[in-house]
């Protein structure tokens, strides 16, 4: 399928290259996306983050196509969340917990289905201190001052949403944002 290259999207693959399971080389991911007809494909880090030109294809369609191609071409089953550049910009702007002096301890938990934000309401009223939780249209945001692995907020979100969410630290989100907004090279 030929795609007009005029709209950028961000793909976030859940659970890629964490431990020994679901290993995907970023060169293979770039080739897979290019073979699907996406243009100007760039990856960020080694954890399943890609920015590409998608034309007028809806993000949900891109997510489905990428998930299917991962299984068929690379033998890896992974949930894929895709946001348009506009959706990603909104996600970045809605983080009321940023800025922080330690972006590695601030997570954006990107929702596979934005309607899941309604499921997070019971968590918003809980006292998480010294942690913090905020919710936007596309993601939940968790401040984890004692580290992500020790975070009660992240654990509660994981139990509630399961594989319907994929998380990235704020430093990675900022790199993706820079790439979406014209940074010339992948990181």
């Amino acid at each position: 399928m030929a795609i007009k290259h005029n709209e950028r999207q961000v793909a976030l693959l859940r659970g890629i290259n964490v431990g020994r399971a679901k290993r995907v080389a970023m060169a293979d991911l770039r080739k897979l996306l290019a073979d699907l007809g996406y243009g100007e494909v760039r990856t960020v880090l080694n954890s399943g983050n890609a920015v590409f030109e998608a034309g007028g294809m809806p993000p949900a369609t891109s997510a489905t196509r990428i998930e299917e191609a991962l299984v068929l071409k690379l033998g890896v089953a992974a949930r894929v969340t895709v946001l348009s550049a506009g959706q990603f910009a909104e996600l970045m702007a809605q983080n009321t917990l940023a800025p922080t002096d330690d972006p590695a301890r601030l997570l954006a938990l990107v929702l596979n289905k934005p309607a899941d934000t309604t499921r997070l309401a019971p968590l918003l009223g809980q006292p998480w201190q010294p942690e913090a939780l905020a919710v936007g249209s596309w993601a939940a945001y968790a401040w984890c001052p004692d580290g992500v692995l020790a975070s009660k907020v992240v654990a509660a979100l994981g139990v509630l949403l399961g594989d319907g969410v994929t998380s990235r630290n704020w430093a990675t989100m900022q790199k993706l944002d820079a790439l979406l907004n014209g940074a010339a090279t992948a990181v």
Side-chain angles (χ1 to χ4, degrees):
M1 170 189 289
I3 295 174
K4 289 173 58 178
H5 303 295
N6 61 3
E7 181 184 315
R8 288 183 170 198
Q9 293 182 352
V10 176
L12 305 170
L13 285 66
R14 187 176 195 279
I16 295 297
N17 299 341
V18 178
R20 294 186 182 147
K22 297 185 182 181
R23 305 300 297 172
V24 176
M26 292 302 97
D28 292 342
L29 179 59
R30 287 189 297 272
K31 182 178 181 332
L32 179 119
L33 293 173
D35 289 349
L36 287 172
Y38 298 109
E40 296 185 38
V41 179
R42 294 184 177 91
T43 54
V44 176
L45 302 174
N46 193 35
S47 55
N49 308 296
V51 173
F52 52 90
E53 297 287 339
M57 187 165 300
T61 302
S62 291
T64 300
R65 292 179 78 226
I66 295 166
E67 282 182 8
E68 290 172 357
L70 281 168
V71 171
L72 293 173
K73 303 290 185 184
L74 302 179
V76 173
R79 290 289 300 260
V80 178
T81 301
V82 177
L83 299 173
S84 70
Q87 292 166 335
F88 193 85
E90 191 175 322
L91 180 153
M92 295 297 286
Q94 289 178 345
N95 184 355
T96 59
L97 303 180
T100 177
D101 59 349
D102 190 354
R105 293 179 186 266
L106 176 59
L107 289 187
L109 295 102
V110 184
L111 302 168
N112 196 277
K113 297 176 186 170
D116 281 345
T117 57
T118 59
R119 296 175 58 200
L120 303 178
L123 299 180
L124 287 171
Q126 294 187 25
W128 296 108
Q129 295 78 13
E131 297 181 55
L133 173 65
V135 176
S137 300
W138 305 100
Y141 309 93
W143 170 241
C144 312
D146 297 326
V148 173
L149 295 177
S151 173
K152 292 177 183 173
V153 171
V154 172
L157 288 166
V159 167
L160 188 63
L161 298 172
D163 73 348
V165 67
T166 187
S167 61
R168 300 295 188 273
N169 70 39
W170 201 245
T172 300
M173 297 300 282
Q174 289 172 318
K175 289 174 184 174
L176 286 164
D177 190 50
L179 198 55
L180 267 174
N181 290 300
T185 59
V187 227

